[in-house]
Amino acid sequence: MAHTAAEWPPEETLSLWKGEQARLKARVVQRDTEAWQRDPSFSGLQKVGGVDVSFVKGDNVRACASLVVLSYPELKEPQSQGSRVPLALTVLPPAGFSDPHALGAGAVLQVVYEDSRMVGLKAPYVSGFLAFREVPFLVELVQQLQEKEPDIMPQVLLVDGNGVLHQRGALTEGPGHRGQQQMERVKSQEHLCAVVQLRCQKKEAPTALLNTGAVTQFSPRVGVYRWMRDRGGSPSHPHHPTLSLRSPEGFGVACHLGVLTELPCIGVAKKLLHVDGLEKNALHKQKIVLLQAGGDTFPLIGNSGTVLGMALKSHDHSTKPLYVSVGHRISLEVAVRLTHHCCRFRIPEPIRQEPEGAETKYMSPRRPRSTCRSRQAS
């Protein structure tokens, strides 16, 4: 029997949520803080976690909150007696992908811990405030693991949702002091980033880009050519040096969870959230078509001129990209690389793993939990 969702919160509650978001947002760290993040091969990273809240089919109130921890790249023995039997997941690098820091063939991600439970969502869904509906249950799962088995705490969490690619903040900011006219000129060139998407092994600068007078910067780890228009002066932004930017980044589920748990978090969304002028229009679809191999990316640049995330082709045979954004205590470059390394299929394994146990009888059988629910924004 389906349950009805909670009533729309009063303005007082929404005001409190806005204040709490602003307070927590000030604590978000968008840089690498751990030694393993600065190592090209992620040396020192041993445990990667994934969290998700899956709705029961046809029910907007009951859900299954899950935490999965996998070894990275391998743990010889399962560390949790109460956990499910470990499942070996061989992650193969995409065909033709030559990232020298990618996991080698036969590397194993192994499930070493999982906790999933049915919960009742008390807060209603309000666009921009999803964290207040779901994050308390995820924080509880992380805290219980910390208390019960601290030795297998994940060193990073992949979150089924968005980080700074979020409307709480992104819509409130405008372009810099050069004005909207210049913003349109800059954005008219931005499509070149997609046009020149090349496989990581290609180092030559494309003629089409050089003819624009742009300065190219190749990023072998991310696998894209980055560019800056040479207009003189010192750049205030890596892609649009002439813009004076404030703080357009939002504060999504991955940010919220990261700040509350103080764990590095990555937002991994399956759909593009339409914020700061980003939309799945013809140009965006063209960029997706130009993603040729697993690991190819293009930046998600909003009207503010800020790179809010990256669209990532996570697998050679995937036709839909993932939208990766910073949650907390990690850089966007490292977030994208790690997400790609965790992908055996389109969805990263820490998120894709379906819950097991009594709760799964309410879910669609043999399907990853990430496909059990439908959300409008995260």
Side-chain angles (χ1 to χ4, degrees):
M1 180 179 177
H3 291 68
T4 58
E7 294 181 357
W8 189 266
E11 286 299 321
E12 182 180 358
T13 299
L14 290 176
S15 179
L16 290 174
W17 284 356
K18 290 178 183 178
E20 181 70 359
Q21 276 190 336
R23 184 182 68 83
L24 295 177
K25 180 181 176 181
R27 295 166 52 185
V28 171
V29 176
Q30 297 189 55
R31 66 176 185 275
D32 297 325
T33 60
E34 310 302 310
W36 62 263
Q37 297 168 335
R38 294 183 284 271
D39 187 278
S41 60
F42 296 142
S43 176
L45 177 61
Q46 296 180 329
K47 293 173 288 294
V48 179
V51 293
D52 184 33
V53 176
S54 303
F55 291 121
V56 173
K57 197 171 183 179
D59 195 322
N60 291 325
V61 175
R62 291 186 303 162
C64 182
S66 301
L67 165 65
V68 178
V69 181
L70 293 88
S71 63
Y72 186 96
E74 181 178 14
L75 287 179
K76 295 180 180 179
E77 299 287 342
Q79 308 252 339
S80 172
Q81 295 180 354
S83 302
R84 58 190 280 191
V85 176
L87 172 65
L89 301 165
T90 302
V91 178
L92 301 177
F97 185 70
S98 60
D99 183 350
H101 308 306
L103 288 174
V108 173
L109 292 174
Q110 190 179 64
V111 177
V112 296
Y113 176 89
E114 182 178 80
D115 189 3
S116 58
R117 63 194 62 182
M118 297 301 296
V119 297
L121 302 175
K122 298 179 181 179
Y125 171 79
V126 180
S127 179
F129 297 99
L130 181 66
F132 293 97
R133 179 171 165 88
E134 298 186 357
V135 164
F137 304 109
L138 301 178
V139 171
E140 183 180 352
L141 289 173
V142 173
Q143 290 176 340
Q144 289 188 357
L145 174 58
Q146 174 68 51
E147 296 170 1
K148 186 167 54 176
E149 298 180 83
D151 291 342
I152 56 173
M153 277 288 291
Q155 295 161 275
V156 59
L157 287 174
L158 274 64
V159 182
D160 184 10
N162 288 298
V164 298
L165 176 58
H166 192 256
Q167 64 258 48
R168 295 305 307 168
L171 289 177
T172 62
E173 305 294 342
H177 68 280
R178 298 296 181 111
Q180 185 65 31
Q181 210 170 28
Q182 177 181 323
M183 172 61 68
E184 293 303 321
R185 292 198 299 269
V186 173
K187 285 186 70 61
S188 70
Q189 298 292 327
E190 187 264 341
H191 73 279
L192 290 173
C193 291
V195 174
V196 299
Q197 292 302 312
L198 298 178
R199 303 270 277 279
C200 287
Q201 63 265 32
K202 295 184 180 179
K203 299 295 192 294
E204 68 274 10
T207 303
L209 185 59
L210 292 177
N211 288 342
T212 66
V215 178
T216 61
Q217 297 179 327
F218 182 72
S219 177
R221 293 185 182 178
V222 179
V224 297
Y225 278 92
R226 291 177 176 168
W227 63 277
M228 296 189 302
R229 200 67 170 165
D230 187 8
R231 298 178 185 272
S234 58
S236 59
H237 187 274
H239 290 272
H240 306 305
T242 55
L243 294 180
S244 174
L245 302 178
R246 287 173 284 173
S247 178
E249 297 92 348
F251 187 77
V253 170
C255 299
H256 204 127
L257 181 63
V259 170
L260 292 182
T261 61
E262 275 305 317
L263 288 172
C265 283
I266 302 171
V268 183
K270 297 180 287 296
K271 295 182 179 180
L272 176 65
L273 192 59
H274 292 190
V275 297
D276 198 15
L278 294 172
E279 57 181 321
K280 198 171 182 180
N281 52 22
L283 177 59
H284 185 84
K285 293 177 181 177
Q286 179 187 5
K287 295 177 187 178
I288 293 175
V289 172
L290 293 171
L291 298 176
Q292 299 178 6
D296 284 355
T297 63
F298 64 82
L300 302 170
I301 305 176
N303 284 339
S304 62
T306 299
V307 178
L308 297 173
M310 299 288 281
L312 165 69
K313 185 180 179 72
S314 56
H315 189 271
D316 273 354
H317 304 295
S318 175
T319 59
K320 298 179 181 180
L322 297 174
Y323 298 98
V324 181
S325 57
V326 171
H328 184 50
R329 294 180 60 181
I330 197 166
S331 67
L332 180 57
E333 178 185 357
V334 171
V336 171
R337 282 201 300 128
L338 181 58
T339 300
H340 177 229
H341 289 181
C342 290
C343 290
R344 184 184 180 194
F345 303 103
R346 180 191 175 218
I347 307 299
E349 291 301 315
I351 295 175
R352 196 185 73 89
Q353 289 305 298
E354 59 186 87
E356 293 192 357
E359 298 89 348
T360 58
K361 67 181 180 181
Y362 300 105
M363 305 294 180
S364 301
R366 306 304 304 162
R367 296 178 63 192
R369 65 176 181 270
S370 58
T371 64
C372 293
R373 57 128 170 252
S374 173
R375 69 162 77 173
Q376 298 174 13
S378 40

